[in-house]
């Protein structure tokens, strides 16, 4: 439900008909990455602010400066805001735009992965470390070598290996890269050419660097062919996420300008992944960004919309709703608002 289509919306009615309500209302939050540590839910969102910056296709108006961590004792309990966990002023290499983060735990340490722009206006991905899941986090002095673009999502596989997925086009700059090399002259492929792919790299044992050269994550159609750049309803735009369910790896993502959360499945963390369908239909606001987390034996979609701000695209609110699988492991498509 892109911004240009909100003029007719009665937000009182829409909020009544929403399948879920914002987890917090005292600040604006988006891009929720949810995890369960020691039986408690922790959510690592972006912290939206109104910086007074004009809208553009590069997302300059998404001028976030810090991260807050939210926690919930159970899926039905009130979310607690633990305050600022990391601020851009405390990241030596970063200048602005603290976009969608993720976090994980290893050997009692917590690792927050986040994108930000350097002084040259190029996004890279950094990591910050804490002894607590709620921070405060202390950033490494330099970004992860070989990292680029946005939307890091960390996945722990069954064998204890950790992988970082990342990438986003348009403002996320993925279109400027080929074979991990930046060139300002690069643009999106033509509509009949294969779409740009998200990126994966295994993390080093200390969780602070890549253990290998980043590679593309292939997303295929039903015929085993790469999705095309013009297939806007299915191709990857941003917001990669991986979860493991019933013997399969589920790679989910946002289609960006068509506003769907879609997913594909595969047999290992690297893919290839075959497109399966939509998880979430469009929400109010231009962006759609999510995570999927198991809580007490049920699966939940953490997502955001702009209902609380009455349609302001860069002032979003984190929500959660249960997802269901059919007997074949297909995720049932969710409508965010009731008729």
């Amino acid at each position: 439900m892109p911004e240009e289509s909100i003029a007719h919306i009665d937000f009182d009615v829409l909020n009544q008909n929403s399948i879920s309500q914002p987890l917090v209302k005292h600040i604006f939050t988006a891009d929720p990455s949810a995890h369960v540590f020691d039986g408690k839910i922790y959510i690592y969102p972006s912290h939206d602010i109104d910086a007074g910056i004009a809208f553009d296709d590069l997302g300059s108006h998404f001028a976030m400066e810090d991260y807050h961590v939210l926690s919930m004792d159970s899926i039905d309990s009130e979310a607690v805001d633990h305050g600022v966990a990391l601020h851009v002023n405390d990241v030596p290499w970063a200048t602005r735009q603290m976009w969608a983060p993720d976090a994980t735990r290893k050997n009692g340490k917590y690792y927050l992965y986040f994108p930000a722009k350097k002084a040259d206006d190029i996004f890279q991905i950094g990591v910050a470390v804490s002894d607590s899941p709620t921070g405060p986090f202390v950033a490494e002095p330099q970004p992860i070598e070989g990292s680029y673009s946005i939307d890091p999502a960390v996945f722990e596989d069954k064998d204890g290996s950790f992988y970082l997925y990342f990438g986003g086009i348009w403002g996320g700059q993925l279109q400027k890269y080929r074979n991990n090399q930046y060139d300002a002259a690069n643009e999106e492929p033509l509509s009949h050419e294969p779409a740009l792919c998200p990126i994966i790299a295994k993390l080093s044992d200390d969780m602070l660097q890549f253990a290998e050269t980043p590679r593309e994550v292939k997303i295929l159609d039903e015929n085993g062919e790469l999705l095309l750049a013009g297939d806007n309803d299915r191709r990857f735009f941003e917001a990669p996420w991986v979860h493991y369910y019933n013997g399969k790896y589920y790679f989910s993502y946002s289609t960006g300008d068509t506003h769907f959360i879609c997913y594909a499945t595969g047999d290992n963390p690297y893919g290839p992944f075959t497109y399966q369908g939509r998880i979430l239909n469009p929400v109010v606001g231009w962006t759609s960004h999510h995570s999927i987390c198991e809580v007490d034996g049920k699966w939940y979609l953490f997502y955001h919309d702009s209902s609380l701000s009455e349609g302001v695209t860069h002032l979003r609110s984190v929500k959660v709703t249960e997802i269901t699988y059919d007997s074949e492991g297909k995720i049932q498509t969710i409508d965010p608002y009731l008729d």
Side-chain angles (χ1 to χ4, degrees):
M1 199 175 294
E3 189 162 29
E4 60 268 18
S5 67
I6 68 171
H8 67 285
I9 296 175
D10 182 327
F11 278 94
D12 288 336
V13 173
L14 180 107
N15 286 324
Q16 288 176 4
N17 291 340
S18 178
I19 61 170
S20 59
Q21 297 301 313
L23 294 182
V24 295
K25 294 184 177 181
H26 65 291
I27 59 173
F28 290 107
T29 54
D31 313 320
S33 295
H35 298 272
V36 174
F37 301 130
D38 298 325
K40 192 170 183 174
I41 305 161
Y42 294 91
I43 304 164
Y44 300 86
S46 303
H47 174 205
D48 284 352
I49 59 172
D50 194 345
I53 295 173
F55 287 51
D56 61 31
D57 283 344
L58 297 179
S60 301
H61 46 295
F62 294 98
M64 298 86 94
E65 297 177 349
D66 62 20
Y67 298 111
H68 288 227
V69 180
L70 309 178
S71 71
M72 302 168 69
D73 289 330
S74 70
I75 202 66
D76 298 316
S77 66
E78 185 174 345
V80 175
D81 174 11
H82 295 271
V84 175
L86 180 67
H87 194 283
V88 66
N89 292 344
D90 297 318
V91 181
W93 59 270
T95 60
R96 63 191 181 99
Q97 290 183 291
M98 303 283 271
W99 283 11
D102 193 14
T104 195
R105 175 176 66 175
K106 182 180 180 181
N107 296 334
K109 294 280 188 182
Y110 296 85
Y111 298 87
L112 181 72
Y113 298 90
F114 61 95
K117 280 185 175 176
K118 301 174 297 180
D120 60 4
D121 268 352
I122 303 297
F123 272 111
Q124 273 196 271
I125 296 169
V127 57
V129 187
S130 178
D131 292 324
S132 165
T134 59
F137 288 86
V138 177
E140 291 292 296
Q142 297 294 329
I144 297 173
E145 185 175 354
S147 69
Y148 54 96
S149 195
I150 60 168
D151 291 356
V154 61
F155 171 71
E156 181 182 4
D157 202 8
K158 302 180 302 297
D159 64 358
S161 298
F162 289 84
Y163 299 88
L164 198 71
Y165 298 84
F166 57 95
I169 60 175
W170 293 17
Q173 303 176 340
L174 184 62
Q175 71 275 9
K176 299 298 183 183
Y177 289 84
R178 299 295 186 274
N179 298 315
N180 301 318
Q181 298 299 311
Y182 179 90
D183 186 334
N186 287 334
E187 295 296 346
E188 287 182 75
L190 299 175
S191 61
H192 65 277
E193 296 175 334
L196 291 171
C197 297
I199 309 297
I200 182 177
K202 190 175 185 178
L203 288 166
S204 58
D205 286 343
D206 66 5
M207 305 294 282
L208 303 179
Q209 296 291 337
F210 293 151
E212 61 186 4
T213 301
R215 67 182 84 173
E216 292 184 330
V217 177
K218 308 291 188 185
I219 306 176
L220 310 178
D221 65 15
E222 62 276 12
N223 299 315
E225 301 293 332
L226 287 168
L227 292 180
L228 299 181
D231 190 353
N232 294 55
D233 284 349
R234 299 194 296 175
R235 64 88 172 88
F236 173 82
F237 187 100
E238 62 185 355
W241 185 265
V242 170
H243 73 282
Y244 183 80
Y245 172 80
N246 201 22
K248 287 284 186 181
Y249 295 85
Y250 285 65
F251 183 90
S252 49
Y253 57 96
S254 171
T255 61
D257 55 344
T258 49
H259 318 290
F260 298 114
I261 298 295
C262 294
Y263 76 104
T265 58
D267 295 323
N268 72 80
Y270 293 103
F273 296 95
T274 300
Y275 180 87
Q276 298 295 335
R278 297 173 185 168
I279 300 175
L280 182 67
N281 283 328
V283 298
V284 168
W286 198 92
T287 68
S288 199
H289 192 122
H290 72 297
S291 61
I292 295 171
C293 183
E294 185 178 15
V295 182
D296 294 330
K298 295 183 178 181
W299 289 87
Y300 294 90
L301 178 76
F302 292 77
Y303 66 105
H304 69 236
D305 73 5
S306 296
S307 59
L308 183 63
S309 66
E310 299 192 350
V312 180
T313 280
H314 61 287
L315 298 178
R316 301 160 291 181
S317 296
V318 168
K319 298 183 168 186
V320 62
T321 191
E322 188 176 351
I323 64 172
T324 56
Y325 305 84
D326 69 13
S327 59
E328 297 178 344
K330 292 227 174 198
I331 296 174
Q332 304 302 287
T333 304
I334 297 167
D335 289 316
Y337 315 102
L338 305 173
D339 292 332

